[in-house]
Structures are given as structure tokens and as C-alpha cells.
Amino acid sequence: QVQLVESGGGSVQAGGSLKLSCAASGLTLDYYAIAWFRQAPGKEREAVSCITSSISGGDPITDYAKSVEGRFTVSRDLSKNTVYLQMNSLKLEDTGLYYCAERGGYCTFDFGLYGSWGQGTQVTVSS
């Protein structure tokens, strides 16, 4: 049974940093894409970032929403079966509930194509 558990959320002032974790069990990250999504109250779910293995076996492939590119970095530790989202230069609009989700294969920002989801971790950015 696949399980994803997010952690690392919290409250931070604008300009600050947080690092989220997504610990996976019941799957091997090598064969799955893990994406981060977020949802703010009253807003639609929004894709943030994704990471998956490269077919060539080199560095994993990553992708970012334009709103976070240059500020957020997604990475993974296969030995811990965990994906991370380092968030720097946080803005008020980054506030939301952050989820990680899994799918076999390549990254996509279509949340309907993902299988299991975590319970989410709250990120609150204040001025």
C-alpha cells in the first residue's frame, strides 16, 4: 500500500525559507514521479514542482511552475525514499496546504493523473 507523508510546513515571514519533506512507502522512487501541489483557501489546486528519474540514468528530471522557478528546488534521497522541496524567498502568495502525490512514469502538472496523495502540510507566509 502506497503512503506519502508530508512534513516541514510552518509559519514564516516573507523572504524566509522552509524545507518540506515527502516520505514515501510502498513504492520505490526510482520508478515514480513525485509532484508537489498546493492549495490556498478559496483557490484551485496548483502544481508547484515535480521530480522523476531520467531514462538515461543521469540526474533526475525536475520541473517547476513559473511562479516558483528560481526560488524552489525539488530533490530526492533514494536511500530515504524521500522527496524534498526547498522553498526560499517565500512570498505571501506561497501560503497554502502543500501536498505530494505519486504517479508511475513522467512528470505532469495534471493532478488528475496522480494516484496516491499525502495528507498535506500547511505553509503560512506572513508579512
Side-chain angles (χ1 to χ4, degrees):
Q1 181 179 355
V2 174
Q3 188 176 17
L4 302 175
V5 180
E6 302 96 336
S7 61
S11 297
V12 65
Q13 287 193 318
S17 298
L18 282 174
K19 186 174 184 177
L20 306 184
S21 298
C22 172
S25 59
L27 60 81
T28 304
L29 288 183
D30 248 352
Y31 307 109
Y32 287 81
I34 300 293
W36 288 95
F37 294 85
R38 66 187 181 190
Q39 188 163 21
K43 294 189 176 180
E44 292 187 354
R45 190 170 354 186
E46 174 188 20
V48 175
S49 182
C50 185
I51 186 167
T52 190
S53 294
S54 166
I55 294 176
S56 66
D59 290 338
I61 297 170
T62 60
D63 198 6
Y64 299 92
K66 294 240 183 285
S67 58
V68 306
E69 204 159 17
R71 300 187 297 121
F72 291 11
T73 303
V74 64
S75 62
R76 66 185 187 180
D77 185 334
L78 297 180
S79 68
K80 297 181 178 179
N81 225 33
T82 299
V83 171
Y84 303 98
L85 185 66
Q86 176 68 47
M87 306 186 296
N88 298 330
S89 303
L90 283 161
K91 303 177 180 180
L92 298 179
E93 53 264 40
D94 294 319
T95 294
L97 191 58
Y98 283 67
Y99 301 91
C100 60
E102 59 79 18
R103 71 182 301 269
Y106 57 87
C107 278
T108 174
F109 282 167
D110 182 347
F111 65 81
L113 296 181
Y114 284 81
S116 299
W117 292 70
Q119 82 290 348
T121 185
Q122 179 67 37
V123 171
T124 303
V125 184
S126 60
S127 58

